[in-house]
């Protein structure tokens, strides 16, 4: 039912990459698994990021996910855009291209902003909040609000998401793509004619 597009990529303790240590990434993701996903009535496919594990031993995030009954792990080196169509709801976190792919799928997107600071302009983030479902880790009720929302039925979530369609169209046009169809054809025409 739900695809969790995991983007908590470890950076070998290079804090400059996202402003967070690898141990903090693991702690946050384990908290999301245990305190949110474990508590909801839906099945969650935990889609790992291709080739992201940089340490010897077993990833504590994966080990935690294995112990939660309603979570299935998809640990194959396949980009999520090739499986996204199989799910009703997509959850992702962090400002990466995965967020763009998720929005463009046409499926309801729940975004867990887990960055300590914004990695996008304020006006982009404000429109994003009007366009998709957003929960911010900096909110002191982040866990409670996210879990409560995800306990809703798929139909309720779809209905809430549909109400944001006008803002989402604006967001897509402004920040992702103004071309909804034939992107490849349009790009090739631009390349050929320049």
């Amino acid at each position: 039912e739900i695809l969790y597009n995991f983007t908590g990529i470890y950076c070998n303790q290079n804090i400059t990459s996202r402003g967070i240590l690898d141990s903090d990434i693991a702690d946050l993701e384990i908290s999301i698994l245990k305190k949110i996903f474990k508590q909801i009535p839906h099945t969650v496919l935990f889609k790992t990021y291709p080739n992201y594990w940089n340490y010897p031993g077993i990833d504590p995030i994966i080990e935690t996910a294995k112990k939660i009954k309603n979570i299935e792990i998809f640990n194959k080196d396949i980009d999520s855009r090739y499986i996204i169509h199989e799910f009703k709801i997509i959850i992702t976190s962090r400002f990466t291209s995965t967020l763009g792919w998720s929005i463009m799928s046409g499926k309801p997107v729940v975004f867990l902003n887990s960055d300590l600071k914004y990695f996008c302009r304020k006006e982009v983030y404000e429109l994003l909040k009007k366009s998709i479902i957003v929960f911010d880790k900096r909110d002191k009720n982040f866990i409670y609000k996210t879990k409560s929302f995800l306990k809703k039925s798929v139909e309720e979530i779809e209905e809430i998401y549909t109400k944001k369609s006008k803002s989402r169209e604006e967001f897509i046009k402004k920040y992702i793509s103004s071309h909804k169809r034939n992107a490849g054809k349009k790009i090739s025409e631009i390349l050929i004619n320049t």
Side-chain angles (χ1 to χ4, degrees):
E1 281 185 302
I2 294 177
L3 171 64
Y4 179 46
N5 259 330
F6 172 71
T7 58
I9 305 160
Y10 297 116
C11 299
N12 294 320
Q13 297 296 54
N14 184 358
I15 199 163
T16 57
S17 66
R18 302 233 35 108
I20 186 170
L21 294 171
D22 290 350
S23 57
D24 295 329
I25 290 170
D27 289 345
L28 174 64
E29 293 296 333
I30 289 169
S31 175
I32 289 170
L33 293 171
K34 287 181 172 180
K35 295 179 181 175
I36 298 173
F37 295 157
K38 184 179 181 178
Q39 311 297 322
I40 64 173
H42 307 288
T43 301
V44 178
L45 183 80
F46 180 88
K47 164 71 176 81
T48 62
Y49 198 84
N51 297 319
Y52 80 98
W53 182 242
N54 298 319
Y55 293 102
I58 299 167
D59 181 353
I61 299 170
I62 300 298
E63 281 305 297
T64 301
K66 284 180 183 176
K67 296 174 186 169
I68 299 173
K69 289 180 184 176
N70 66 323
I71 294 179
E72 184 181 326
I73 299 168
F74 187 87
N75 197 13
K76 296 178 183 169
D77 197 13
I78 295 172
D79 196 287
S80 64
R81 63 185 161 178
Y82 299 113
I83 62 167
I84 216 164
H85 66 279
E86 298 173 23
F87 299 89
K88 295 185 179 184
I89 298 167
I90 296 145
I91 302 173
T92 191
S93 56
R94 299 173 187 85
F95 292 98
T96 66
S97 62
T98 301
L99 176 59
W101 283 110
S102 298
I103 292 170
M104 293 305 287
S105 74
K107 309 281 182 158
V109 177
V110 177
F111 180 63
L112 309 179
N113 182 28
S114 56
D115 290 321
L116 294 175
K117 51 186 173 178
Y118 294 121
F119 282 90
C120 73
R121 295 187 318 266
K122 186 177 180 181
E123 67 271 14
V124 176
Y125 188 65
E126 291 305 315
L127 185 54
L128 179 70
K129 289 192 298 187
K130 294 176 186 172
S131 304
I132 64 173
I133 313 298
V134 176
F135 295 98
D136 197 312
K137 176 188 159 254
R138 292 169 295 179
D139 180 336
K140 66 178 182 172
N141 295 314
F142 167 73
I143 296 288
Y144 174 78
K145 287 179 179 177
T146 307
K147 176 178 61 177
S148 295
F149 182 81
L150 291 174
K151 283 184 175 182
K152 295 179 186 303
S153 70
V154 168
E155 293 75 25
E156 285 178 279
I157 294 170
E158 288 172 334
E159 187 177 321
I160 292 165
Y161 195 73
T162 299
K163 290 177 182 174
K164 295 175 170 265
S165 64
K166 203 167 214 135
S167 294
R168 193 165 42 261
E169 286 174 23
E170 180 185 350
F171 183 87
I172 290 168
K173 190 173 183 179
K174 255 181 147 167
Y175 300 116
I176 298 177
S177 174
S178 59
H179 304 293
K180 291 189 174 182
R181 297 176 185 221
N182 301 320
K185 182 179 177 185
K186 289 176 181 168
I187 290 169
S188 64
E189 287 172 0
I190 291 167
L191 293 173
I192 292 169
N193 296 321
T194 56

